[in-house]
Amino acid sequence: MKKMKYLAFAIVLALISIYLYKGFIYYLIPFNPIKQYASESNVDFYITKNLPDGDGVNAKCEDANTCGLVLEYLSDLKLKPIKDKKAQAMLNYENATYYNGALRFNELDMIFISDISIDTPNILRISSSITGFKNGYYEIVDSKFDYNYIYDLISETKK
């Protein structure tokens, strides 16, 4: 009987710990999910500037070195996960210009960077087709997303 009490106490303690980590502690720890892919050499990058009137301006990396610089920039961002509700409250989708981007490592493995608004360039959504990837909204801690730097790197812009 005494073992059952200890077992029940241990299970409750484990469940509370998991709840606290997933609900609170996880959002306090800086984490960039792109960083582990920074050493990839075969990468393509696409970015779209979505205008309020529904039009978009697309750009693509044509050079492997340029794509490497874009990947380096994205992997060096200091990011902190934030809750979806908080991020969506901070973003203004109505009549806003925002960016969506994609890193493609091969035919199946892609990382999507989306919901980068000009009004709130320090919030972005990162998701992926890669199994085990930590999808979600992230806040750039020490700076803002420099979309001008990205567009300056990418020379050929198509409409």
Side-chain angles (χ1 to χ4, degrees), residues 3 19 22 35 82 84 90 120 126 145 148 159:
K3 289 182 182 181
Y19 171 76
K22 285 186 174 182
K35 194 164 201 77
I82 60 174
D84 289 358
M90 295 171 75
T120 51
I126 302 175
F145 188 82
N148 289 325
K159 198 162 188 174

Side-chain angles (χ1 to χ4, degrees), residues 106-131:
N106 57 44
E107 292 299 318
L108 300 174
D109 295 338
M110 294 185 73
I111 296 176
F112 306 99
I113 300 110
S114 58
D115 296 351
I116 307 165
S117 171
I118 289 181
D119 297 334
T120 51
N122 61 332
I123 303 292
L124 49 95
R125 177 163 174 68
I126 302 175
S127 58
S128 179
S129 61
I130 301 169
T131 304

Side-chain angles (χ1 to χ4, degrees), residues 8-28:
F9 179 73
I11 290 172
V12 168
L13 188 61
L15 291 174
I16 290 172
S17 297
I18 292 170
Y19 171 76
L20 287 174
Y21 176 76
K22 285 186 174 182
F24 303 102
I25 297 171
Y26 173 76
Y27 297 103
L28 298 175

Side-chain angles (χ1 to χ4, degrees), residues 45-51 57-59 91 93 96-102 112-121 123-125 145-151:
F45 180 73
Y46 308 89
I47 191 165
T48 301
K49 181 178 182 180
N50 300 296
L51 303 171
V57 178
N58 299 318
L91 294 172
Y93 292 108
T97 300
Y98 60 94
Y99 293 87
N100 292 325
F112 306 99
I113 300 110
S114 58
D115 296 351
I116 307 165
S117 171
I118 289 181
D119 297 334
T120 51
I123 303 292
L124 49 95
R125 177 163 174 68
F145 188 82
D146 192 355
Y147 39 80
N148 289 325
Y149 172 73
I150 300 292
Y151 268 100

Side-chain angles (χ1 to χ4, degrees), residues 79-92:
L79 303 176
K80 185 176 78 168
I82 60 174
K83 294 183 179 185
D84 289 358
K85 285 183 181 181
K86 180 179 178 183
Q88 290 172 356
M90 295 171 75
L91 294 172
N92 176 19

